[in-house]
C-alpha cells in the first residue's frame, strides 16, 4: 500500500489538475493559493512531473517550507536549490534580497521551460508582500526571457489574502483552491488506511479509529492531528504492554500530543515569560482568572522566589510581557471598564490548558 496516496479528495484533485493545465501544456503558469493542505500539493507535484514527461515540457519544481523565514532566506534557498551543485552557494551574508532575486531569475532563466516554486506556510514569510510583488512581475519586467515561473502558495490562514497590499494582490492574481477541513467520515477512511499499514491485524479497535477521527474532525479537521494522536496512542499501548489500541489509549494519546505541542511552544519563550505564563496557569487552575496585572505580579514574585529567578522589578514590565503573551496566543487579554470615571484596564487569562502548562518544567 502506498502511504502517499490521497483519499477522499477526488474533486479537489480534479480542480487542482485543471489549475495546473498550463504547466503541462508549457504555457504561462497561473499562480495558485491553496488553503488548508500540504499533502494534496505534494501529490499534485508528482502528478505534474509525470504529465510533463508525457507532454515533453521541461519542468523544475522546488518545495520549500517557509516557516520563520525572511524573504531573503527564501530567495537564497531557492537560488541554491536551482544552482548547479558544483557552483558556489549564494552567500548568507553581505548581499541584499534584490541581489538574491537577480540571482534567482538568472538560475530560472538558465533552465528554460517552466519553474514552479511551492511555498508552504507562505503566510509565515516576513516581507512576503514585496517578494510576491517582485516574483509575479518577473515576466513583465523582462527578468525572465527563456523560462516561465509560477508560484504555489500554501497556507492554513484564510485571511492571508487580506494582509497583501492591493498592488500585490493585483499582480499576484492567483487561482484559489479552498480545501475544506476533513469531516469525521473522511478522517476515518484516512486513519483506517494508515492504521492498516502501521498496526498488525486486530491491533486497533474500530471504535478507537472512530474516536480519533471524531476528535480531529471537531478540532482542526486535519489529517495530521488524527495521525499524530493515532501514533501517540500506539506508543501508549506499547508502554502499557496492551495488545490492542483502544479508546483509552486514544484519549491518552490526544493528551500527550497536546502536551508535546504546548511544551514546544513554551520552550520558545524566555525564562521570564515562562514564569509569567506559569503564574497565569496557577491562577487559572485556582479559578482566579481573569486577573489584573497587580494580582498576577504578586503571585509571580513568589513563583520566581521558589525557582530562584530574580523577578522583574516593575508591574509595568510584567504587563508588557502579558501583552506579548496575548499577542502570541498564550494568554487572552480582556478590556474592562471601571465605570464612569474609573478608567480602563486589562485583565488576563491563560489560553492554553492550565493543567498541562503546570506540568512543564520551567527553564533554569
Ligand atoms: N486525503 C488524504 N489521504 C491520505 N493521507 C492524507 C490525506 N491528507 C493528509 N494526509 C496525510 O496526513 C499527513 C499530514 O498532511 P498534510 O497535508 O501535510 O498536513 P499539514 O500540512 O497540516 O501538516 C501526511 O502524512 C499526509 O500524507
Ligand atoms: Mg502544512
Amino acid at each position: 500500500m502506498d502511504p502517499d496516496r490521497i483519499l477522499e479528495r477526488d474533486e479537489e484533485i480534479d480542480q487542482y489538475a485543471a489549475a495546473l493545465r498550463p504547466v503541462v501544456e508549457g504555457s504561462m503558469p497561473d499562480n495558485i493559493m491553496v488553503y488548508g493542505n500540504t499533502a494534496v500539493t505534494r501529490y499534485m507535484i508528482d502528478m505534474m512531473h509525470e504529465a510533463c514527461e508525457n507532454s515533453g515540457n521541461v519542468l523544475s519544481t522546488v518545495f520549500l517550507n517557509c516557516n520563520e523565514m525572511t524573504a531573503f532566506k527564501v530567495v537564497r534557498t531557492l537560488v541554491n536549490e536551482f544552482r548547479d551543485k558544483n557552483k558556489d552557494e549564494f552567500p548568507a551574508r553581505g548581499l541584499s534580497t534584490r541581489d538574491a532575486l537577480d540571482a534567482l531569475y538568472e538560475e530560472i532563466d538558465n533552465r528554460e521551460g517552466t519553474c514552479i516554486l511551492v511555498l508552504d506556510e507562505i503566510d509565515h514569510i516576513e516581507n512576503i508582500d514585496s517578494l510576491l510583488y517582485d516574483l509575479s512581475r518577473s515576466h513583465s519586467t523582462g527578468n525572465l526571457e527563456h523560462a516561465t515561473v509560477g508560484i504555489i502558495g500554501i497556507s492554513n490562514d484564510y485571511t492571508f489574502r487580506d494582509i497583501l497590499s492591493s498592488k500585490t494582490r493585483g499582480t499576484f492574481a492567483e487561482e484559489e483552491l479552498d480545501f475544506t477541513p476533513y469531516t469525521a467520515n473522511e478522517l476515518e477512511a484516512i486513519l483506517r488506511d494508515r492504521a492498516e499499514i502501521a498496526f498488525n491485524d486486530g491491533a486497533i479497535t474500530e471504535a478507537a479509529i472512530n474516536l480519533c477521527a471524531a476528535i480531529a474532525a471537531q478540532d482542526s479537521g486535519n489529517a495530521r492531528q488524527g495521525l499524530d494522536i493515532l501514533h501517540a496512542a500506539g506508543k501508549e499501548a506499547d508502554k502499557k504492554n496492551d495488545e490492542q489500541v483502544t479508546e483509552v489509549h486514544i484519549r491518552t494519546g490526544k493528551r500527550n500530543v497536546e502536551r508535546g505541542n504546548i511544551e514546544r511552544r513554551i520552550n520558545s519563550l524566555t525564562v521570564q515569560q515562562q514564569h509569567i505564563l506559569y503564574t497565569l496557569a496557577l491562577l487559572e487552575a485556582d479559578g482566579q482568572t481573569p486577573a489584573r496585572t497587580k494580582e498576577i505580579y504578586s503571585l509571580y514574585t513568589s513563583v520566581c522566589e521558589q525557582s530562584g529567578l530574580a523577578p522583574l522589578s516593575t508591574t509595568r514590565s510584567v504587563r508588557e510581557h502579558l501583552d506579548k503573551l496575548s499577542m502570541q496566543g498564550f494568554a487572552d487579554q480582556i478590556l474592562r471598564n471601571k465605570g464612569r470615571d474609573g478608567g480602563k484596564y486589562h485583565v488576563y487569562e491563560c489560553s492554553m490548558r492550565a493543567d498541562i502548562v503546570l506540568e512543564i518544567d520551567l527553564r533554569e
Side-chain angles (χ1 to χ4, degrees):
M1 207 176 295
D2 179 7
D4 293 329
R5 76 189 173 122
I6 296 295
L7 303 169
E8 309 287 339
R9 285 299 203 207
D10 293 349
E11 262 176 52
E12 287 83 352
I13 288 173
D14 288 347
Q15 203 189 341
Y16 212 141
L20 293 173
R21 197 162 300 135
V23 176
V24 180
E25 290 168 352
S27 53
M28 186 71 79
D30 290 319
N31 297 320
I32 299 174
M33 262 310 297
V34 184
Y35 291 99
N37 200 300
T38 305
V40 176
T41 298
R42 285 193 182 279
Y43 174 81
M44 294 311 298
I45 296 172
D46 290 346
M47 292 295 104
M48 209 163 43
H49 277 286
E50 267 179 38
C52 283
E53 257 169 47
N54 293 328
S55 70
N57 186 37
V58 180
L59 172 68
S60 323
T61 57
V62 178
F63 185 101
L64 188 60
N65 185 298
C66 303
N67 197 8
E68 291 185 13
M69 283 200 180
T70 58
F72 175 76
K73 183 145 185 226
V74 169
V75 182
R76 171 175 178 262
T77 309
L78 293 172
V79 174
N80 292 335
E81 285 290 325
F82 279 117
R83 218 166 235 192
D84 255 359
K85 295 301 162 237
N86 53 26
K87 240 169 109 180
D88 281 344
E89 290 213 327
F90 191 89
R93 266 166 255 287
L95 295 173
S96 66
T97 307
R98 182 71 260 156
D99 299 325
L101 276 165
D102 290 340
L104 179 62
Y105 294 137
E106 194 182 317
E107 296 298 338
I108 291 177
D109 226 18
N110 284 341
R111 298 239 156 183
E112 310 190 339
T114 311
C115 286
I116 299 294
L117 313 176
V118 187
L119 306 178
D120 192 10
E121 310 203 29
I122 189 171
D123 51 307
H124 291 224
I125 304 175
E126 275 174 54
N127 316 325
I128 180 60
D129 196 70
S130 50
L131 177 61
L132 278 187
Y133 183 69
D134 207 286
L135 285 174
S136 45
R137 275 166 30 102
S138 52
H139 303 110
S140 57
T141 50
N143 277 313
L144 292 178
E145 286 173 6
H146 308 291
T148 57
V149 67
I151 301 149
I152 298 179
I154 309 172
S155 167
N156 290 320
D157 180 1
Y158 291 88
T159 63
F160 172 67
R161 217 164 191 283
D162 306 336
I163 66 166
L164 299 177
S165 65
S166 57
K167 194 175 82 167
T168 301
R169 253 179 288 168
T171 51
F172 187 48
E174 79 280 27
E175 182 97 37
E176 287 196 25
L177 300 175
D178 280 340
F179 292 160
T180 47
Y182 289 112
T183 64
N185 284 338
E186 290 167 342
L187 285 169
E188 272 172 32
I190 294 168
L191 295 177
R192 192 171 303 119
D193 189 60
R194 283 300 185 92
E196 275 169 25
I197 305 171
F199 299 104
N200 294 327
D201 264 2
I204 180 161
T205 66
E206 193 66 11
I209 290 177
N210 294 352
L211 176 63
C212 190
I215 291 171
Q218 270 167 23
D219 186 9
S220 64
N222 70 42
R224 163 93 54 212
Q225 185 184 19
L227 289 168
D228 285 349
I229 294 174
L230 199 64
H231 180 70
K235 280 215 306 218
E236 178 67 15
D238 268 351
K239 204 171 94 187
K240 294 267 159 66
N241 281 321
D242 294 335
E243 275 173 19
Q244 211 177 27
V245 179
T246 64
E247 289 155 280
V248 179
H249 304 108
I250 296 287
R251 288 189 208 286
T252 313
K254 170 179 183 269
R255 195 171 193 287
N256 289 346
V257 170
E258 262 171 20
R259 194 195 141 101
N261 290 341
I262 291 181
E263 200 159 19
R264 215 166 311 117
R265 295 194 53 203
I266 290 182
N267 277 333
S268 73
L269 296 174
T270 66
V271 189
Q272 287 293 355
Q273 287 170 337
Q274 289 183 1
H275 280 68
I276 294 166
L277 181 64
Y278 187 87
T279 307
L280 209 53
L282 275 177
L283 289 167
E284 183 104 1
D286 203 28
Q288 295 190 54
T289 48
R292 294 190 68 162
T293 311
K294 234 185 339 181
E295 296 149 12
I296 298 167
Y297 186 77
S298 89
L299 183 60
Y300 154 81
T301 51
S302 44
V303 167
C304 288
E305 200 176 314
Q306 269 171 31
S307 71
L309 177 75
L312 296 168
S313 55
T314 61
T315 50
R316 185 204 160 110
S317 42
V318 167
R319 178 164 16 89
E320 282 169 2
H321 279 305
L322 284 165
D323 292 342
K324 262 191 218 137
L325 288 170
S326 306
M327 249 157 27
Q328 295 169 13
F330 291 93
D332 288 316
Q333 182 194 59
I334 306 153
L335 186 66
R336 286 277 156 88
N337 253 317
K338 227 184 168 187
R340 217 180 272 163
D341 43 28
K344 291 180 181 149
Y345 60 95
H346 282 122
V347 288
Y348 301 89
E349 55 189 25
C350 187
S351 68
M352 310 178 123
R353 277 183 58 170
D355 58 329
I356 295 183
V357 174
L358 293 175
E359 277 173 16
I360 291 164
D361 289 330
L362 294 182
R363 262 205 272 164
E364 299 297 300

